[in-house]
Amino acid sequence: MKILISNDDGITAPGIHALSRAFAEAGHDVAVIAPDAQRSAASHSMTLFAPLKVRKAHVPGARLAFAVSGTPADCVKLGLRNLCPEAEFVVSGVNHGYNAGSDVLYSGTVAAAMEGALEGRPAMAVSLAGSREDTYDRAAQTALRVFDVLREKHLPPLCVLNLNYPGVDDARGIKAAPLKRMRYTDVYAQERGEAGECLYHLRGNVDETVEEGEDDFTWLRRGYATVTVLSFDMTEKDATNALRTVL
């Protein structure tokens, strides 16, 4: 199968290399089109007022690879429309750090996969709560297993499967789970720049006191990989329908 792989960590990131190797070794035709540098938390932003610069690159396992000056969504849209329109499936990742709960709203990794879905291809985002090289390989192999399932049981149109692998050597299993609303201990640390301007740096971590449930973040903390089916449609249908009676 022809697979387009992208990410938001950049084309040199170990996670995308792990994915490319895994899918190529499984016999798939792999094309990698990814940002030329770090683009984490780009969400679904796109480049509108500047041309995209594209250069050839080398990624292990990939038949062709391009580094693009734009965002993750740019990479997938350009890939499917120009650079490898024959791609049949889009995989994004393996991201450095999970994309669980409400964090999917900020994620360039998830946005790259969602762009694939919007372009009519089945798609999957893959993320990892860890950074060891061998754990990236385990996450990529898990993605390959889930991909084989998706080939038999297709996702609904315009949907993405969001896979997260826990920060352990071996996941205890895979759980299908809903997203959690994440909370952070965020603060903006203030300092003065060289020219006297006021600078703010975002600092913070996950609030570990959040209550446990049957959600994706809780299962990740328990050592399980998680899968969630995401849709572009964020409509709150009941509230929207209720407005019809008052507008």
Side-chain angles (χ1 to χ4, degrees):
M1 197 169 186
K2 298 181 185 299
I3 310 293
L4 169 59
I5 299 180
S6 191
N7 71 352
D8 71 0
D9 290 327
I11 198 159
T12 62
I16 201 169
H17 289 205
L19 268 185
S20 179
R21 286 194 303 268
F23 277 82
E25 289 170 2
H28 298 288
D29 183 356
V30 173
V32 172
I33 303 175
D36 59 4
Q38 176 63 253
R39 299 286 192 281
S40 289
S43 187
H44 213 116
S45 60
M46 294 176 59
T47 302
L48 299 180
F49 304 109
L52 294 172
K53 299 177 183 177
V54 179
R55 62 173 173 82
K56 289 185 177 181
H58 172 73
V59 174
R63 174 178 57 84
L64 58 85
F66 296 99
V68 180
S69 63
T71 67
D74 286 332
C75 292
V76 174
K77 183 179 283 290
L78 180 64
L80 294 177
R81 298 206 172 206
N82 291 77
L83 301 177
C84 57
E86 69 278 7
E88 303 167 87
F89 199 102
V90 174
V91 185
S92 180
V94 175
N95 189 67
H96 174 66
Y98 58 69
N99 280 298
S102 49
D103 285 355
V104 300
L105 296 173
Y106 307 102
S107 170
T109 302
V110 173
M114 188 61 72
E115 186 61 38
L118 292 174
E119 291 285 339
R121 271 68 161 191
M124 173 170 55
V126 187
S127 303
L128 168 67
S131 59
R132 280 174 33 199
E133 190 77 27
D134 60 335
T135 315
Y136 279 117
D137 290 333
R138 292 174 191 270
Q141 288 299 322
T142 302
L144 194 58
R145 286 173 48 205
V146 173
F147 169 82
D148 288 337
V149 172
L150 291 181
R151 296 176 71 182
E152 301 296 327
K153 184 175 178 60
H154 300 298
L155 292 174
L158 305 179
C159 287
V160 162
L161 191 136
N162 188 43
L163 167 65
N164 281 281
Y165 193 89
V168 297
D169 288 343
D170 289 296
R172 299 175 65 183
I174 303 177
K175 295 286 186 179
L179 299 179
K180 185 181 191 67
R181 181 189 173 188
M182 304 295 290
R183 295 204 305 264
Y184 287 85
T185 58
D186 286 344
V187 296
Y188 282 92
Q190 181 180 342
E191 66 177 56
R192 289 289 174 184
E194 293 182 359
E197 71 274 29
C198 192
L199 306 177
Y200 289 90
H201 297 274
L202 180 60
R203 301 281 187 265
N205 294 293
V206 175
D207 182 355
E208 296 291 348
T209 66
V210 294
E211 64 284 354
E212 292 196 343
E214 298 302 306
D215 55 79
D216 60 345
F217 181 64
T218 300
W219 284 115
L220 280 167
R221 290 204 292 184
R222 293 170 180 165
Y224 289 84
T226 64
V227 292
T228 308
V229 178
L230 308 178
S231 169
F232 82 98
D233 186 356
M234 294 189 287
T235 304
E236 214 308 318
K237 294 180 174 59
D238 290 342
T240 301
N241 291 334
L243 284 176
R244 294 175 179 169
T245 65
V246 297
L247 292 178

